[in-house]
Amino acid sequence: MIQKDKMKNQNKALEMAKYAYQNVPLYYNYAEKLGKNIEQAVFEEIPVVDKSFFIEKGMSLLSTRYISKYLQGKLIYSRTSGSTGKCTEVFWEEQEEIKSMLSLWLYRKKYYGILPSDKLCYFYPADDGSLECFEEKNRLALSKMLIIEEKFDAIIEKIEVFQPIWLILQPGIACVLCEYIEKTKRKVPDSIRYVEFTGEYLEEPVRKKVIEVFRCKTANQYGSKEVNSIAYECPEGNLHIMEDNVFVEIQGEEEEGEICLTTLQNKAMPLVRFNNEDRGQILHHVNCPCGNRNAVLKLLAGRSNDWILREDGTKVHAYFFIQMIQKINLQMDGAILQFQIIQKDWKSFDFYLVIEDEQDKRDIADILLDKVLAAMGDDTEIQIQYYDKLLPEKKTGKLACFRNVMQL
Ligand SMILES: [Zn+2]
């Protein structure tokens, strides 16, 4: 039975693959380059692609069948957050987008009593315009620019006034918010019944902290802008795959490997056998008490290096450094144009900075030194290197704000 369901989904994915290789220039040009005939292919013969396949490919990602809708401005679009300013635009046809979200909404209601009409508050990437916040229907959107301590009171006040029923939070943001609320003993708005995590690997201590501080239900939602929801956590703690929305495979010889996605809904800009480099494992025979028979995805921490590690075994989220830079930028009118912070050892950090003004360079070096030593200890070594421009990683097209390169 389970095998049959898997085959059914794989056939749907194969149909989408053939559609993409017929209608999307990026794919059919690729097949031509490989000398492959996708028309006759079985699913395993469809090429697996990674992030580099999509970088700066512009409109060739769009299906030719949707060009006229695109030209009429009828496609929904959003940008994936690139820290370099170079964004990839993601397009959806409206009805397909609605369909891709249907299961997620059904489960939100079934598991946690959350309805589309419930008031929601979420954070959006700071490079999406300069607004600090905006309200749209029953949603309050706050800019990630506000994730600095000076603004936390304002954030919590905005949330208090808005009275949301639920929040969508990235674990890193949840972390710093909770720390602040605990430190200042602020009251959490008691309208909040549910927090949904998304966007980063969720560490259990972060969830525990959120439950403690917000006293509400939580769930993890694993998704991406290109396919929407990939898997959603039930109250039993199992991340069930959204099998009607996406076909998920694990690449590699082992049971654990890299996650590979094929959209079953987005025909305007289809992802086909896309290896997103997150790590996971699929469990097929989970008889979950929640009643959901879909396979369960186990996410693995992988190479995520979002944490600043300390010798005593504690860790601090990289948001700590990002906040520090944002704060300096707020005071100095955006003097730091680009940055990357590397942890080389327990007490050794490199700061790569792009700053135009010579006086700014000296001022910022002083401020950084003070702040890092105060936070990480007087014996911390920091090296600052200036560049004209920091280039994104070729493979991901993104510039990681923080990287931990310690050999552990
Ligand atoms: Zn379940």
Side-chain angles (χ1 to χ4, degrees), residues 2 29 44 69 99 161 211 232 294 298 344 352 392:
I2 285 161
N29 291 336
E44 287 75 13
K69 278 201 168 177
K99 268 171 85 181
V161 171
I211 293 175
Y232 185 51
N294 287 3
K298 218 175 95 190
K344 291 194 304 190
Y352 302 155

Side-chain angles (χ1 to χ4, degrees), residues 234 238 240 288 290:
C234 74
N238 285 322
H240 292 280
C288 189
C290 82

Side-chain angles (χ1 to χ4, degrees), residues 119-122 124 131-143 157-164:
K119 283 173 126 187
L120 160 69
C121 178
Y122 68 99
Y124 65 96
L131 278 177
E132 283 198 347
C133 73
F134 62 91
E135 275 182 48
E136 203 177 17
K137 291 183 201 154
N138 56 343
R139 295 170 174 212
L140 171 66
L142 298 163
S143 166
E157 261 151 43
K158 278 186 207 302
I159 297 176
E160 240 157 27
V161 171
F162 187 72
Q163 294 277 304

Side-chain angles (χ1 to χ4, degrees), residues 290-332:
C290 82
N292 189 336
R293 290 287 160 268
N294 287 3
V296 168
L297 184 64
K298 218 175 95 190
L299 288 175
L300 303 162
R303 289 152 298 158
S304 154
N305 47 23
D306 293 335
W307 297 87
I308 303 159
L309 303 179
R310 285 186 171 137
E311 207 164 3
D312 62 6
T314 59
K315 49 187 187 177
V316 181
H317 199 271
Y319 241 99
F320 169 79
F321 277 148
I322 298 167
Q323 265 185 83
M324 200 160 76
I325 301 280
Q326 285 178 344
K327 206 145 100 183
I328 294 173
N329 262 345
L330 203 70
Q331 288 163 356
M332 302 191 53

